[in-house]
Amino acid sequence: MTDAGEEMYELVERLYPLCRSITGDGVRATLDIVGEYIPLQTYEVPTGTQVLDWTVPQEWNIRDAYIADSGGRRVVDFAESSLHVLGYSVPVSATMPLSELRAHLHTLPEHPGWVPYRTSYYKPEWGFCLAQETLDALPDGEYEVHIDSTLADGHLTYAEYVVPGEVPDEVIVSCHVCHPSLANDNLAGIAVATFLARELAQETPYYTYRFIYAPGTIGAITWLARNAERVDRVKHGLVLACAGDSGSLTYKRSRRGDAEIDRVMGHVLAASERPHQVNEFTPYGYDERQYCSPGFNLGVGSLSRTTYGGYPEYHTSADNLDFVSPKAMADTLAVCREAFGVLDRNRRYLNLSPYGEPQLGRRGLYDALGGRSDTKQAQMAMLWVLSLSDGEHSLLDVTERSGLPFDTVATAADALHGAGLIKA
Amino acid sequence: MTDAGEEMYELVERLYPLCRSITGDGVRATLDIVGEYIPLQTYEVPTGTQVLDWTVPQEWNIRDAYIADSGGRRVVDFAESSLHVLGYSVPVSATMPLSELRAHLHTLPEHPGWVPYRTSYYKPEWGFCLAQETLDALPDGEYEVHIDSTLADGHLTYAEYVVPGEVPDEVIVSCHVCHPSLANDNLAGIAVATFLARELAQETPYYTYRFIYAPGTIGAITWLARNAERVDRVKHGLVLACAGDSGSLTYKRSRRGDAEIDRVMGHVLAASERPHQVNEFTPYGYDERQYCSPGFNLGVGSLSRTTYGGYPEYHTSADNLDFVSPKAMADTLAVCREAFGVLDRNRRYLNLSPYGEPQLGRRGLYDALGGRSDTKQAQMAMLWVLSLSDGEHSLLDVTERSGLPFDTVATAADALHGAGLIKA
Amino acid sequence: MTDAGEEMYELVERLYPLCRSITGDGVRATLDIVGEYIPLQTYEVPTGTQVLDWTVPQEWNIRDAYIADSGGRRVVDFAESSLHVLGYSVPVSATMPLSELRAHLHTLPEHPGWVPYRTSYYKPEWGFCLAQETLDALPDGEYEVHIDSTLADGHLTYAEYVVPGEVPDEVIVSCHVCHPSLANDNLAGIAVATFLARELAQETPYYTYRFIYAPGTIGAITWLARNAERVDRVKHGLVLACAGDSGSLTYKRSRRGDAEIDRVMGHVLAASERPHQVNEFTPYGYDERQYCSPGFNLGVGSLSRTTYGGYPEYHTSADNLDFVSPKAMADTLAVCREAFGVLDRNRRYLNLSPYGEPQLGRRGLYDALGGRSDTKQAQMAMLWVLSLSDGEHSLLDVTERSGLPFDTVATAADALHGAGLIKA
């Protein structure tokens, strides 16, 4: 666990300096690094492609950007942090007084030492983000502004990795890859997804697990547009975001509110006795917005530690490598593993001997000595599975009704299945 | 608001002295005065008309009534208060000792200074209502009793006023007009209904609003009998009673319990942060009893301040002009306006772009600058309306799920409708 | 009531010494004694008969059993208590050292003075149950063990008593008769069932009541197997067990959870203001396990005072005649009577005059004098029955919605039925 945590943290460190956006070479470089851990399939979708109600935008790439004072000193420099430039800034090369420049500067007055993260994807703008302290220290006068960016026809890039399961029914795990140097949002999510994928690939899970690495909103929309015919295969899903901070876990339900993933995550979090929060769906957040849009309405929830907007460091330079930890990411990973473990074993069985109890004793499934007031959990679990296996109750239902651990219930179901008393 | 309150109070003052009952000239005089505010359509239904399980009774009119002592002094006098005579008293002219008279006298021993309100509509009786103090002061001896009333074939009178709306679907607002000099029950209800009608008539509401002024029970039954064929048009309704006392508002749900009016009133009262109570339906009360009888089962609730039987002054002479206030009636009126405002705008929309989120930005419906952690309420409202506009959720559902103000949600829906993204 | 309590206690005293098991003469002797109170129909089902998933076992009878020390002194003696022998012990006659004998001895170390109750129905074993104190006092050395039992083809015995009702729909009351000298479990249940039957037989109840006296598990399974074709007649049922201890009452819901018997028992216990507990169904317990198995899924709950395993005396020699009382059994009987009284009167009616309220006054069902703020419970009950008699609500629904006593509601329904205003 600690090892996985440390490895995930190393991955986050490697990805941190890259300037990601919704398109461009930063995304490609990110996916290349992830591809060292798991074999990714990358897709390039041309600018102008119609995707649902949207159009794939021009590709944005940036090489350099700075504000220099009259002495030529770079007072704001993209080379120091990818956050310094407004995402999707058009190129600019000009000299102007500070008074005119101010309209293009974004700061966070309430956190004067932090640099905000800002973008302007769909309206041509240029701008810089900087600390309020930096701005306050700038004397009036002329400044040179330079953004060496390209906004041109190109591609939107996303990637997938599929862990085949026993059945073609799919679980999707989706994380956004469009944010620049923000550690929790979403390098931690990328790292957890990647190690989850790597671990699942060691096994043959019941479901087929599809990992999606795509830019937020437009990426998920592109994936949905290109997979609209196959989306019925997606039975469950999880969006991973803000997965590495020190806060406790937060699960946000799917729009359905009672999808199986919602029940599984709620159960696993409660049963684990971790402090946690379960929130109802709202149409604001990460790409669950798209997966849960009413036309698709997939059973996709979202797992985070502290959620977007729930911490002051959100979308600022303070969401840095100190803000995430190996331990927190390892914990998020562990909960995902537990949840998918439950999801994979959660079945509805049918009791094939539903009239009266079947005689468990002669099948070696029951203690021979009667009269005792204690009954073993395993026997209780068998009675519960037999009682509720009417085709309407899943093992998770049995678990919740009985108060027994899911694993005990699932193991009892295996024994009954082995004895031919129930069928899936 | 205060002006309307004062005007309503003046109307109550004018109506207060009249001797109303379930039939007779007191009702006609009442409707004549209301008719000075809004153009009423009056209906006269002959005695003997079969109305559902009931028969329109004989019409009762009264000119004078008194008890006089042996010296000819009127010790109880109808001219002082219409409450002094038992409603529907048959005529009498006799002299009898107090001991014999007592069987015809109604008092309230627990409130010795108050005169009770009593009736005997369907059993021929005569009687007087008086203060226990008055009775206690009467010396033994002979008394002359005289009731100059007429109980004869005639009519039951009720009236309607219709404010036409955009659609023929109706909201009924019903108030009983059969009580004599009782201010809260129901002159305040009559006044609020009248000013509500007058204000709605200044606009074109979405629904057609039908105001019904009818005697309690038999009047509502008569209206239902005569409108049985058209009752399907009634989609919502409100009975107004006890609308002017100083207590907080009480809404009583329809028999359905979850009719749209129930949800709207519950929402408006809660959102207004007024102290208030919401009660479940009971088959006792005012004319919601008839509108909600199981055969009709209309979505009709009842709005009161303090409800029947909930205050000691109920059905006594203490329910007088001091018991109601302009401020309380203005407050009841304001809540009705708010509720009908919500009802009128509450629609179920269908998202016409339900696969993924539509791109609000290019339609000018969304902030261009991304990355900020605060999102404006208006944008959140649009996302909520889009998410829940699946034909199953009304804007009130959206309001309750989102926690946003109804007006914000409805305004967002208007914007989305204007952009062609949703349809009603 | 006290008389019935005393009589039930006497019955328990008579049954207490008998050595009952799932088959054998102890059951027959028990049923013979019960047959002195009510005319039982006894059934004998041959060994080897296939019953659902089970087979009727060999019949077990026992005449004598003891452990004697080297001096011939009986240190454990079946003649003292039927608990001393492991139920269904195979015969044995041997001498062995204590060290070897120990494997066949059952004690309760945590209650050193008590003898446990143990059985081995389906695995051929022999054994003795004794107090830990007794065992501790035994010196090492040789002991003679002797069990004079027979395990041979024979019969399983159960009995029924039917109280015919107005309708063939049945209520079953089932109690297990397989436990040896345990007073609360289940002689108290047998006694309550017997007196309940005797009292119901004095009347003509609405439902037909079938009392079933059968050995636990295999007996209920045998009854179900032999009545599978007729089981649809069983509309409601109650398993009686542990009915005589000093604890408060516990009702365990049927597997359905909302069967009519569940609602009736819940209502009666709550309305009686007795301290009590209502538990959800679990697939462990008494013969509700079989009646509620998913194939049958009957509306059968279970009434106990303290439930199995809920008291340390459970399945030990401390569940003796001091552990049960006339008062407790009388109380259990009274609750059964109340519950079946409600069940028998609980109907769904249809309001035949559902459009507006019917005029109760002219039918003599309503106070003539109007205007009073108090309304009698009986009148309120009539309004509630009329309002909810739409074919979907039972009188118990009316009771719960109105908050009125069930008896008031049922009496109002009788009056309305008599007046032709409702039909069943």
Side-chain angles (χ1 to χ4, degrees):
Chain A
M1 183 81 79
T2 312
D3 288 352
E6 296 294 345
E7 287 184 80
M8 288 189 283
Y9 192 82
E10 281 165 30
L11 173 55
V12 169
E13 284 180 312
R14 293 179 67 192
L15 299 173
Y16 185 69
L18 300 175
C19 180
R20 279 162 295 271
S21 187
I22 54 173
T23 60
D25 291 333
V27 173
R28 289 188 192 94
T30 297
L31 298 176
D32 281 349
I33 293 174
V34 171
E36 297 175 20
Y37 295 77
I38 51 174
L40 288 184
Q41 169 74 44
T42 302
Y43 298 89
E44 298 278 351
V45 184
T47 296
T49 305
Q50 186 72 20
V51 284
L52 304 178
D53 187 60
W54 301 59
T55 307
V56 172
Q58 287 195 309
E59 182 176 326
W60 183 66
N61 283 293
I62 181 164
R63 287 155 295 277
D64 194 11
Y66 60 83
I67 303 173
D69 62 17
S70 54
R73 193 177 58 91
R74 292 188 173 197
V75 295
V76 174
D77 191 349
F78 171 73
E80 277 176 16
S81 166
S82 65
L83 293 175
H84 275 316
V85 74
L86 177 75
Y88 258 64
S89 275
V90 295
V92 67
S93 210
T95 301
M96 63 185 69
L98 181 58
S99 56
E100 190 179 326
L101 178 56
R102 280 183 189 276
H104 297 273
L105 301 183
H106 303 277
T107 65
L108 279 173
E110 66 275 30
H111 294 289
W114 297 353
V115 179
Y117 162 55
R118 294 286 180 269
T119 65
S120 184
Y121 299 137
Y122 297 100
K123 187 178 165 195
E125 289 270 9
W126 63 265
F128 288 89
C129 300
L130 67 161
Q132 181 68 41
E133 291 172 354
T134 307
L135 175 57
D136 292 344
L138 293 186
D140 281 340
E142 293 289 306
Y143 288 87
E144 180 197 355
V145 294
H146 182 73
I147 298 181
D148 176 14
S149 65
T150 328
L151 204 51
D153 284 358
H155 295 83
L156 177 147
T157 311
Y158 72 88
E160 288 186 344
Y161 173 54
V162 176
V163 180
E166 291 176 29
V167 294
D169 292 344
E170 288 188 11
V171 179
I172 59 170
V173 178
S174 178
C175 54
H176 62 283
V177 296
C178 53
H179 286 185
S181 302
L182 300 171
N184 197 36
D185 180 16
N186 191 33
L187 302 181
I190 294 170
V192 170
T194 303
F195 279 71
L196 187 55
R198 200 170 72 168
E199 293 189 10
L200 281 172
Q202 310 299 314
E203 311 155 13
T204 299
Y206 177 73
Y207 289 109
T208 293
Y209 284 78
R210 183 179 300 270
F211 292 81
I212 302 170
Y213 298 80
T217 305
I218 185 68
I221 282 168
T222 299
W223 187 88
L224 283 163
R226 292 164 55 98
N227 290 278
E229 300 300 308
R230 281 165 290 181
V231 91
D232 282 353
R233 284 190 205 162
V234 178
K235 303 303 179 192
H236 321 281
L238 197 59
V239 168
L240 282 172
C242 303
D245 65 273
S246 62
S248 55
L249 284 157
T250 302
Y251 177 70
K252 174 183 167 180
R253 292 184 210 268
S254 75
R255 179 179 178 277
R256 293 182 190 168
D258 63 348
E260 192 170 336
I261 187 73
D262 300 327
R263 298 209 33 229
V264 165
M265 286 297 319
H267 173 75
V268 164
L269 286 168
S272 77
E273 297 185 356
R274 283 170 171 88
H276 70 277
Q277 229 183 314
V278 175
N279 293 338
E280 292 302 322
F281 180 77
T282 73
Y284 192 67
Y286 288 103
D287 286 329
E288 68 277 9
R289 291 163 65 160
Q290 310 309 328
Y291 300 121
C292 295
S293 57
F296 294 114
N297 202 24
L298 299 177
V300 175
S302 171
L303 186 68
S304 298
R305 302 195 72 85
T306 310
T307 48
Y308 51 89
Y311 49 101
E313 296 85 353
Y314 176 80
H315 278 195
T316 78
S317 57
D319 180 0
N320 58 25
L321 291 170
D322 294 336
F323 192 68
V324 299
S325 71
K327 189 181 156 203
M329 287 188 282
D331 184 61
T332 308
L333 176 62
V335 164
C336 290
R337 291 281 285 157
E338 287 174 44
F340 291 151
V342 169
L343 191 65
D344 260 13
R345 295 179 82 186
N346 190 31
R347 298 272 192 298
R348 284 165 204 271
Y349 286 99
L350 196 66
N351 181 341
L352 298 172
S353 183
Y355 295 100
E357 284 172 17
Q359 196 183 1
L360 298 177
R362 69 172 151 90
R363 294 176 176 91
L365 298 172
Y366 209 78
D367 253 14
L369 189 71
R372 301 188 322 187
S373 62
D374 61 321
T375 302
K376 290 186 191 135
Q377 266 201 341
Q379 292 183 14
M380 284 303 296
M382 279 188 273
L383 295 177
W384 272 110
V385 171
L386 286 167
S387 180
L388 294 179
S389 287
D390 52 7
E392 288 180 27
H393 296 89
S394 69
L395 293 186
L396 189 56
D397 293 323
V398 177
T399 298
E400 293 188 349
R401 282 279 292 274
S402 69
L404 296 167
F406 179 84
D407 185 64
T408 305
V409 168
T411 302
D414 289 344
L416 293 168
H417 191 254
L421 286 169
I422 59 176
K423 71 169 183 183
Chain B
M1 182 80 79
T2 313
D3 288 351
E6 296 294 344
E7 286 184 80
M8 287 189 282
Y9 192 81
E10 281 165 31
L11 173 55
V12 169
E13 283 180 311
R14 291 179 67 191
L15 298 173
Y16 185 69
L18 299 174
C19 180
R20 278 162 295 272
S21 187
I22 53 174
T23 60
D25 291 333
V27 173
R28 289 188 191 94
T30 297
L31 298 176
D32 283 348
I33 293 174
V34 171
E36 297 175 21
Y37 295 77
I38 50 174
L40 287 184
Q41 170 73 44
T42 302
Y43 298 89
E44 297 279 351
V45 184
T47 295
T49 305
Q50 187 70 22
V51 285
L52 304 177
D53 187 59
W54 300 59
T55 308
V56 172
Q58 287 194 311
E59 182 175 328
W60 183 67
N61 282 295
I62 182 163
R63 286 156 295 278
D64 194 11
Y66 60 84
I67 302 171
D69 63 16
S70 53
R73 193 176 58 91
R74 292 187 173 198
V75 295
V76 175
D77 191 350
F78 172 72
E80 279 176 13
S81 166
S82 66
L83 294 175
H84 274 315
V85 73
L86 177 75
Y88 259 64
S89 274
V90 295
V92 66
S93 208
T95 302
M96 62 185 69
L98 181 59
S99 56
E100 191 179 324
L101 178 55
R102 280 184 190 274
H104 296 274
L105 302 183
H106 303 276
T107 65
L108 280 173
E110 67 276 30
H111 294 290
W114 298 353
V115 179
Y117 162 55
R118 294 287 180 270
T119 64
S120 183
Y121 300 136
Y122 297 101
K123 188 179 165 193
E125 290 270 8
W126 62 265
F128 289 89
C129 300
L130 66 162
Q132 182 67 40
E133 292 173 352
T134 307
L135 176 58
D136 292 345
L138 293 185
D140 280 340
E142 294 288 306
Y143 288 88
E144 182 197 354
V145 294
H146 183 74
I147 299 180
D148 177 13
S149 66
T150 326
L151 204 52
D153 283 359
H155 295 84
L156 177 147
T157 311
Y158 72 88
E160 288 186 345
Y161 173 54
V162 176
V163 180
E166 292 177 28
V167 294
D169 292 345
E170 288 188 10
V171 180
I172 59 170
V173 178
S174 178
C175 54
H176 61 284
V177 297
C178 52
H179 285 185
S181 303
L182 299 171
N184 197 36
D185 179 16
N186 191 30
L187 302 181
I190 293 169
V192 171
T194 303
F195 278 71
L196 188 55
R198 201 170 71 167
E199 293 188 10
L200 282 171
Q202 310 299 314
E203 312 154 12
T204 299
Y206 176 73
Y207 288 109
T208 293
Y209 284 78
R210 182 178 301 270
F211 291 80
I212 302 169
Y213 297 79
T217 305
I218 185 68
I221 282 168
T222 299
W223 186 88
L224 283 163
R226 291 164 55 98
N227 291 278
E229 300 301 307
R230 282 164 290 181
V231 91
D232 282 353
R233 286 189 205 162
V234 178
K235 302 302 179 194
H236 321 282
L238 198 59
V239 167
L240 281 172
C242 303
D245 66 272
S246 62
S248 56
L249 284 158
T250 303
Y251 177 70
K252 175 183 165 179
R253 293 185 210 268
S254 75
R255 179 180 178 279
R256 292 183 192 168
D258 63 348
E260 192 170 338
I261 187 73
D262 300 327
R263 298 209 34 226
V264 166
M265 286 297 321
H267 174 74
V268 164
L269 286 168
S272 78
E273 297 186 357
R274 282 171 172 87
H276 70 278
Q277 229 182 313
V278 174
N279 294 338
E280 292 301 323
F281 180 76
T282 73
Y284 192 66
Y286 288 104
D287 285 330
E288 68 276 8
R289 290 163 67 161
Q290 310 310 326
Y291 300 121
C292 296
S293 56
F296 294 114
N297 202 23
L298 299 177
V300 174
S302 172
L303 186 67
S304 298
R305 302 195 71 87
T306 310
T307 48
Y308 52 89
Y311 49 101
E313 297 85 354
Y314 176 78
H315 278 194
T316 78
S317 58
D319 179 1
N320 58 25
L321 292 169
D322 293 337
F323 191 68
V324 299
S325 71
K327 189 180 156 204
M329 288 187 281
D331 184 60
T332 309
L333 176 62
V335 163
C336 290
R337 292 280 284 157
E338 286 174 44
F340 291 151
V342 169
L343 191 65
D344 260 13
R345 297 179 82 187
N346 190 32
R347 297 274 191 297
R348 282 165 206 273
Y349 287 98
L350 196 66
N351 182 341
L352 298 172
S353 183
Y355 295 99
E357 284 172 18
Q359 197 183 0
L360 298 176
R362 69 172 150 89
R363 296 176 175 91
L365 298 173
Y366 209 79
D367 253 16
L369 190 71
R372 300 187 323 187
S373 62
D374 61 322
T375 301
K376 289 186 193 134
Q377 267 200 342
Q379 292 183 16
M380 283 302 296
M382 278 188 274
L383 294 178
W384 273 110
V385 171
L386 287 168
S387 180
L388 294 180
S389 287
D390 52 8
E392 287 180 28
H393 296 90
S394 69
L395 293 187
L396 189 57
D397 292 324
V398 177
T399 298
E400 293 188 347
R401 282 279 291 274
S402 69
L404 297 167
F406 179 85
D407 186 65
T408 304
V409 169
T411 302
D414 289 344
L416 293 168
H417 192 253
L421 285 169
I422 59 175
K423 71 169 183 184
Chain C
M1 183 78 79
T2 314
D3 288 350
E6 296 295 345
E7 286 185 80
M8 287 189 284
Y9 192 81
E10 281 165 30
L11 172 54
V12 170
E13 284 179 312
R14 291 179 66 191
L15 298 173
Y16 185 69
L18 300 175
C19 181
R20 279 162 294 273
S21 188
I22 53 173
T23 60
D25 292 333
V27 173
R28 289 188 192 95
T30 297
L31 297 176
D32 282 349
I33 292 174
V34 170
E36 297 175 21
Y37 295 77
I38 50 173
L40 289 183
Q41 169 75 43
T42 302
Y43 299 88
E44 297 279 350
V45 184
T47 295
T49 305
Q50 187 71 21
V51 285
L52 305 176
D53 187 60
W54 301 59
T55 307
V56 171
Q58 287 195 310
E59 181 176 328
W60 183 66
N61 283 294
I62 182 165
R63 286 155 296 276
D64 193 12
Y66 60 85
I67 303 172
D69 64 17
S70 54
R73 194 177 56 90
R74 292 187 174 199
V75 295
V76 175
D77 191 351
F78 171 72
E80 278 176 14
S81 166
S82 65
L83 294 175
H84 275 314
V85 74
L86 177 77
Y88 258 64
S89 273
V90 295
V92 67
S93 209
T95 301
M96 61 184 69
L98 181 58
S99 57
E100 190 179 328
L101 178 55
R102 280 183 190 276
H104 298 273
L105 301 184
H106 303 277
T107 64
L108 280 173
E110 66 275 30
H111 294 289
W114 297 354
V115 179
Y117 162 56
R118 294 287 180 271
T119 64
S120 183
Y121 299 137
Y122 297 100
K123 187 179 166 195
E125 290 272 8
W126 62 266
F128 288 88
C129 300
L130 66 162
Q132 182 69 39
E133 291 172 352
T134 306
L135 176 57
D136 292 345
L138 292 186
D140 282 339
E142 295 289 305
Y143 287 87
E144 181 196 355
V145 294
H146 182 75
I147 297 181
D148 177 14
S149 65
T150 327
L151 204 52
D153 284 359
H155 295 83
L156 176 148
T157 311
Y158 72 88
E160 288 186 345
Y161 173 54
V162 176
V163 179
E166 291 176 29
V167 295
D169 291 346
E170 288 187 10
V171 179
I172 58 170
V173 178
S174 178
C175 54
H176 61 283
V177 296
C178 52
H179 286 185
S181 302
L182 299 171
N184 196 37
D185 180 15
N186 190 33
L187 303 181
I190 293 169
V192 170
T194 303
F195 279 71
L196 187 55
R198 202 170 70 167
E199 293 187 10
L200 281 173
Q202 310 300 314
E203 311 155 12
T204 300
Y206 176 73
Y207 289 109
T208 293
Y209 284 78
R210 183 179 300 270
F211 291 82
I212 302 170
Y213 299 80
T217 305
I218 185 69
I221 283 168
T222 300
W223 186 88
L224 283 163
R226 292 165 54 98
N227 290 278
E229 301 299 309
R230 282 164 290 179
V231 90
D232 282 354
R233 284 190 206 161
V234 178
K235 303 303 178 191
H236 320 281
L238 197 60
V239 167
L240 282 172
C242 303
D245 66 272
S246 62
S248 56
L249 284 158
T250 304
Y251 177 70
K252 174 183 166 180
R253 292 185 211 267
S254 74
R255 180 179 177 279
R256 294 183 190 166
D258 63 349
E260 191 170 337
I261 187 73
D262 300 327
R263 297 207 35 228
V264 166
M265 286 296 321
H267 174 75
V268 164
L269 286 168
S272 77
E273 297 186 357
R274 282 169 172 87
H276 70 277
Q277 230 183 314
V278 175
N279 294 338
E280 292 301 324
F281 180 77
T282 73
Y284 192 67
Y286 288 104
D287 286 329
E288 68 277 9
R289 290 163 67 160
Q290 310 310 326
Y291 300 121
C292 296
S293 56
F296 295 114
N297 202 24
L298 299 177
V300 174
S302 172
L303 186 67
S304 297
R305 301 195 73 87
T306 309
T307 48
Y308 52 88
Y311 49 101
E313 296 85 353
Y314 176 79
H315 279 194
T316 78
S317 58
D319 179 1
N320 58 25
L321 291 170
D322 294 336
F323 192 68
V324 300
S325 72
K327 190 180 155 203
M329 288 187 281
D331 184 61
T332 309
L333 177 62
V335 164
C336 290
R337 293 280 285 156
E338 286 174 44
F340 291 150
V342 169
L343 191 65
D344 261 13
R345 297 180 82 186
N346 190 31
R347 297 273 190 297
R348 283 165 204 271
Y349 286 98
L350 196 65
N351 181 342
L352 299 172
S353 183
Y355 295 100
E357 284 172 18
Q359 196 183 1
L360 298 177
R362 68 172 151 88
R363 294 175 175 91
L365 298 173
Y366 210 78
D367 254 14
L369 190 71
R372 300 187 323 187
S373 62
D374 61 322
T375 301
K376 291 187 190 133
Q377 266 201 342
Q379 292 183 14
M380 285 301 297
M382 278 188 274
L383 295 178
W384 273 109
V385 171
L386 287 167
S387 179
L388 294 179
S389 287
D390 53 7
E392 287 181 27
H393 295 90
S394 69
L395 293 187
L396 189 57
D397 292 324
V398 176
T399 298
E400 293 188 348
R401 282 278 292 274
S402 67
L404 296 167
F406 179 84
D407 186 64
T408 304
V409 168
T411 302
D414 290 342
L416 293 167
H417 192 254
L421 286 169
I422 59 175
K423 72 169 183 183

